Amino acid sequence: MTIEPLLSPCPSPPPCSNLGWLSYGALKGDGILIVVNTVGAALQTLYILAYLHYCPRKRVVLLQTATLLGVLLLGYGYFWLLVPNPEARLQQLGLFCSVFTISMYLSPLADLAKVIQTKSTQCLSYPLTIATVLTSASWCLYGFRLRDPYIMVSNFPGIVTSFIRFWLFWKYPQEQDRNYWFLQT
């Protein structure tokens, strides 16, 4: 048995979102943002390393990863060197992180046309949809509690897109994979 089919066609992006929110949390002095995004960045890094280990097309993945990390470094250079005012830096970094998070939550809708055309939700993950709605709702509530519009507003699309995907799962139920066998325990 080969590992290739078990890997997704493209890896998760480098931990750019986690590192952005980690910087935002550090600048704001928010321990919860710091801890959660440190763990998230570490897990994303481990995922990328494991993916690269098994990936047959390392050159493409390395190029994508290097490009995103280059963009991340340019962003850090901008925020830490060209924006000396900490309050302005916090506002601009919050906006940057929000845009990145919103685009992350909207990305699964790229498969919307494929789902409607094929009348199949095979390309969508139900467990990931549940995790997304729970995570984005938690962060929305946390942002509301802190009265932080960057945290609150950037996570709201996660709730909306999750409910769109739930509707798609209801409208086009997934068929059981006939090639999958449960192991008897």
Side-chain angles (χ1 to χ4, degrees):
M1 179 177 138
T2 154
I3 296 267
E4 284 178 43
L6 300 176
L7 295 175
S8 62
C10 57
S12 174
C16 295
S17 181
N18 292 115
L19 293 174
W21 284 112
L22 174 60
S23 297
Y24 181 79
L27 191 58
K28 193 172 180 177
D30 186 328
I32 291 176
L33 282 174
I34 293 169
V35 170
V36 167
N37 286 291
T38 298
V39 171
L43 290 174
Q44 283 280 26
T45 301
L46 288 173
Y47 173 82
I48 296 263
L49 292 173
Y51 187 90
L52 284 172
H53 179 73
Y54 292 106
C55 180
R57 298 173 305 183
K58 288 181 182 15
R59 185 170 187 252
V60 172
V61 175
L62 283 171
L63 183 61
Q64 291 172 342
T65 302
T67 301
L68 280 172
L69 289 175
V71 169
L72 184 67
L73 286 173
L74 285 174
Y76 277 121
Y78 170 77
F79 289 117
W80 296 103
L81 299 175
L82 299 178
V83 184
N85 180 346
E87 187 58 36
R89 187 181 311 142
L90 184 67
Q91 300 298 320
Q92 289 182 20
L93 187 56
L95 183 61
F96 172 79
C97 291
S98 294
V99 168
F100 200 88
T101 300
I102 289 169
S103 65
M104 177 191 68
Y105 281 136
L106 294 179
S107 65
L109 294 182
D111 291 328
L112 185 63
K114 182 179 178 184
V115 169
I116 292 172
Q117 181 183 20
T118 62
K119 295 182 180 355
S120 170
T121 53
Q122 291 296 112
C123 64
L124 299 178
S125 168
Y126 195 77
L128 183 61
T129 303
I130 292 171
T132 300
V133 76
L134 293 174
T135 302
S136 49
S138 299
W139 281 114
C140 275
L141 290 172
Y142 183 70
F144 181 75
R145 182 181 166 273
L146 295 179
R147 298 187 192 321
D148 187 322
Y150 299 113
I151 297 172
M152 188 174 26
V153 171
S154 66
N155 285 284
F156 186 72
I159 298 170
V160 173
T161 59
S162 292
F163 280 110
I164 290 170
R165 287 183 282 165
F166 283 136
W167 178 78
L168 288 170
F169 282 115
W170 171 78
K171 184 152 176 74
Y172 308 116
Q174 288 184 340
E175 297 174 11
Q176 288 293 333
D177 186 356
R178 305 278 187 245
N179 297 325
Y180 183 79
W181 293 77
F182 287 102
L183 297 175
Q184 297 292 329
T185 56

